[in-house]
Amino acid sequence: MDPVIVVGAGPVGLSLSLALAGQGVPCVVLDEGSGKDEPRPARTVALHADTAAMVHRLGCTTLRDEGAYFAAWRTMRRGRESQRITFEDGPAPIHLPQHALTRGLRDAATAHPQIQLITESKLDSLEQDGRGVTAHTRGAETTWWRGSHLVGCDGARSTVRKLLGIRFPGRTAVERHAVAALRTELPWPGEALLHRSPPDEVTARPLADGVYRLDWLLPARGDLVTPDALVTLIRDSLALWCGGTTPPYELLDTGVHTLHHRLARRWRDGRCFLAGDAAHLLGALGTQGVEEGLRDAENLAWKLSLAWHQGASEELLDSYEAERRRAVAARLRAADQAMPVLRAGGGLRTYLPGASRAAELLLTDGHLGRGPLGAEPVYAPPVAVHDVPTATEPGGPVENVPVTAPDGSTVPLRDQLGRGRLLVVLVAPGTGVWDRRHWMGAGLMPRLAAAVAALPVRAELLVADGYPGAAAHTVLLVRPDGHLAATFAGVHPAELYEAADAVRRGPATAAPAPAPRGLPSAGVPTATPMID
């Protein structure tokens, strides 16, 4: 079968190709550039728990080598501290230059035998038929390429989107920021900082090796930022935080970053898909465009893998757009609704007591991956989750609890994701002190193992000593991208089969599939289609 063609070799395109290759799907990555990224320390990305775990699974080593975790998040208002958040109850965001992330992903892709990286190849036409996609490039490789599917990860000016005739409406210049990367010493080593003196706002976020990225909010349609004006911003901010005296600093990189909010009308056209900046632009109020693009890649990869290996339903492939577009649209709506309160000189702040405090909390949530501006998305599950309570919302991302893998090792649950398999997790308190070979034949395990082996898609059986909010003998069905599909009180083979089949076939399931031999038959409930 033909490989998947990925257009664009930024973080999203490389992540998608690695995710597909890890599931046995060959990829051709068409890179318009030379394959070498210019170092830009002031252009960075902050990754939260789910995206950092994904990048780690893909074999990118730059998180460990060149990333910096926030030691804490400090909020200041008019020179006084108003809040300080530590990360004792969960992982801190990790912050690194985007070129370092791209380089690490490119190195992993270059080393993977299932990935072919083609540089200096610009897409100029594509054609689709019932069996695949044909793409033509010019440049170093002026030729035709044949693929089973094609994914446009080629940025805000996406050629794929334009060739497909997909509109890209939205708002231009939602925010402007002056940006600087510099090496200095602040009174709070390794801590990130949000400092607001409305209408002024500045953030300082740590990078590795004593470097910070500083962002100053600018008027949406203000004057150009001259070098002298930027130096004044740097010196004034550092002096404000350091007792009135500007500490020594080494300026590494500067720029002006203009943020736009746009959302493609469609993310799928036959065998072609859009992901990352080709599908959406966001970034105001602490939201992260790169991170949402990585979530696009993880959502799409397992669905394309199933299509490549087994022939996925049209409903499952459609669910990529339904889930991801709806999640990003909700993020954009939240930012648009918050913008008048956070950025206007008067408005609702005049009438709402404590509005400044609420604004700081909202901005902090955006930066830390919480609340409507930053939390991991929740997707509508394909079947009604059975009435077994857990701390995870139906369709939400599962908690990263320790689980026992088939080889007997204990690993974080997120480490088992991204392999194109469903995960079936049995909550069995006390098994953490047992050898797997002993309890595989005890209690519920033989019956559950047989049920997992009979599922219509590949699945892996894991055991957790505990799961937040779940009682003993709860069984969790987890999608390959880490979202909870269903929960059961004990072993119910027929219902587990139904749920796995619904995940495989997508939200618009039709007639029930036959149950495996030896299991009672039952209908597959349908989920309400998601409409944006």
Side-chain angles (χ1 to χ4, degrees):
M1 191 170 176
D2 294 319
V4 171
I5 299 172
V6 178
V7 182
V12 177
L14 293 169
S15 295
L16 177 63
S17 65
L18 284 164
L20 287 167
Q23 297 172 43
V25 179
C27 296
V28 172
V29 181
L30 302 178
D31 184 1
E32 185 177 337
S34 64
K36 297 180 180 179
D37 296 288
E38 177 188 1
R40 290 295 311 274
R43 189 181 186 192
T44 66
V45 58
L47 302 180
H48 299 97
D50 62 322
T51 50
M54 174 192 177
V55 170
H56 174 75
R57 289 195 305 271
L58 297 178
C60 177
T61 61
T62 50
L63 289 190
R64 180 187 66 246
D65 299 336
E66 301 180 55
Y69 287 97
F70 293 176
W73 178 272
R74 183 181 298 268
T75 304
M76 298 180 69
R77 184 189 308 135
R78 303 189 188 279
R80 295 186 177 183
E81 180 180 321
S82 59
Q83 183 184 36
R84 185 175 180 271
I85 296 174
T86 60
F87 302 100
E88 299 170 355
D89 298 330
I94 186 169
H95 191 212
L96 75 164
Q98 186 170 318
H99 69 261
L101 174 63
T102 304
R103 185 180 68 251
L105 292 169
R106 184 183 294 275
D107 290 346
T110 301
H112 203 294
Q114 293 274 50
I115 299 175
Q116 185 179 7
L117 277 167
I118 310 297
T119 58
E120 297 180 346
S121 294
K122 180 174 176 57
L123 179 74
D124 59 10
S125 68
L126 63 86
E127 299 174 0
Q128 298 189 65
D129 55 49
R131 303 183 65 179
V133 182
T134 303
H136 185 265
T137 58
R138 53 182 172 81
E141 294 281 354
T142 301
T143 186
W144 290 95
W145 303 90
R146 182 67 177 175
S148 64
H149 299 82
L150 181 144
V151 186
C153 305
D154 49 342
R157 296 180 175 86
S158 170
T159 299
V160 173
R161 190 184 64 241
K162 293 173 183 176
L163 290 174
L164 295 175
I166 297 175
R167 293 181 57 203
F168 197 39
R171 299 171 57 200
T172 300
V174 176
E175 285 188 348
R176 286 198 315 150
H177 292 260
V179 184
L182 52 89
R183 183 177 287 108
T184 190
E185 291 186 11
L186 294 182
W188 319 283
E191 294 191 13
L193 169 70
L194 167 65
H195 192 168
R196 300 187 78 233
S197 299
D200 298 327
E201 179 181 301
V202 58
T203 57
R205 288 171 286 172
L207 292 158
D209 196 26
V211 176
Y212 288 83
R213 168 175 164 165
L214 274 62
D215 290 64
W216 294 268
L217 179 66
L218 299 173
R221 291 175 175 81
D223 297 332
L224 294 176
V225 180
T226 65
D228 288 344
L230 185 55
V231 168
T232 299
L233 287 173
I234 293 172
R235 294 181 62 85
D236 289 349
S237 296
L238 295 182
L240 180 62
W241 302 330
C242 299
T245 301
T246 302
Y249 66 90
E250 178 188 359
L251 187 58
L252 304 175
D253 190 22
T254 63
V256 174
H257 186 30
T258 302
L259 300 170
H260 313 285
H261 280 180
R262 295 188 179 276
L263 190 65
R265 290 291 191 191
R266 292 178 289 117
W267 292 24
R268 181 190 180 195
D269 186 310
R271 290 177 171 266
C272 297
F273 300 82
L274 300 177
D277 285 355
H280 50 75
L281 293 178
L282 69 166
L285 308 184
T287 55
Q288 291 266 344
V290 171
E291 188 164 57
E292 291 301 328
L294 295 177
R295 289 170 177 150
D296 295 344
E298 183 147 54
N299 185 290
L300 181 58
W302 71 271
K303 297 170 182 177
L304 279 182
S305 172
L306 194 60
W308 199 88
H309 287 293
Q310 299 182 24
S313 69
E314 292 299 305
E315 289 80 11
L316 181 65
L317 294 177
D318 282 342
S319 72
Y320 162 67
E321 175 181 326
E323 290 178 344
R324 291 300 306 144
R325 189 177 186 277
R326 184 173 186 177
V328 175
R331 198 84 81 210
L332 289 171
R333 280 194 297 269
D336 286 343
Q337 291 167 0
M339 195 78 69
V341 179
L342 296 175
R343 301 304 189 217
L348 291 179
R349 283 210 306 261
T350 306
Y351 306 102
L352 295 178
S356 294
R357 171 74 171 167
E360 290 159 11
L361 291 174
L362 187 62
L363 285 168
T364 296
D365 283 347
H367 284 286
L368 298 185
R370 304 173 180 180
L373 291 177
E376 296 177 44
V378 174
Y379 305 134
V383 292
V385 175
H386 289 236
D387 189 19
V388 181
T390 73
T392 301
E393 184 178 354
V398 292
E399 299 285 340
N400 195 28
V401 298
V403 295
T404 302
D407 63 0
S409 62
T410 299
V411 296
L413 178 55
R414 289 188 192 272
D415 284 3
Q416 300 301 106
L417 301 175
R419 304 180 186 184
R421 298 180 297 220
L422 297 179
L423 302 181
V424 179
V425 182
L426 171 66
V427 179
T431 53
V433 299
W434 286 37
D435 190 297
R436 183 180 175 93
R437 65 188 177 192
H438 294 150
W439 49 254
M440 277 297 291
L444 301 176
M445 290 301 295
R447 189 162 176 247
L448 182 56
V452 171
L455 294 179
V457 287
R458 293 186 305 150
E460 181 176 73
L461 177 58
L462 305 169
V463 177
D465 196 59
Y467 189 88
H473 300 159
T474 297
V475 174
L476 312 176
L477 179 65
V478 182
R479 299 186 344 174
D481 58 355
H483 287 260
L484 182 65
T487 61
F488 308 92
V491 180
H492 299 275
E495 289 85 349
L496 181 62
Y497 185 94
E498 291 174 17
D501 192 55
V503 172
R504 174 177 68 96
R505 295 198 291 156
T509 50
R517 183 174 299 176
L519 298 180
S521 178
V524 180
T526 60
T528 303
M530 292 176 290
I531 301 174
D532 182 17

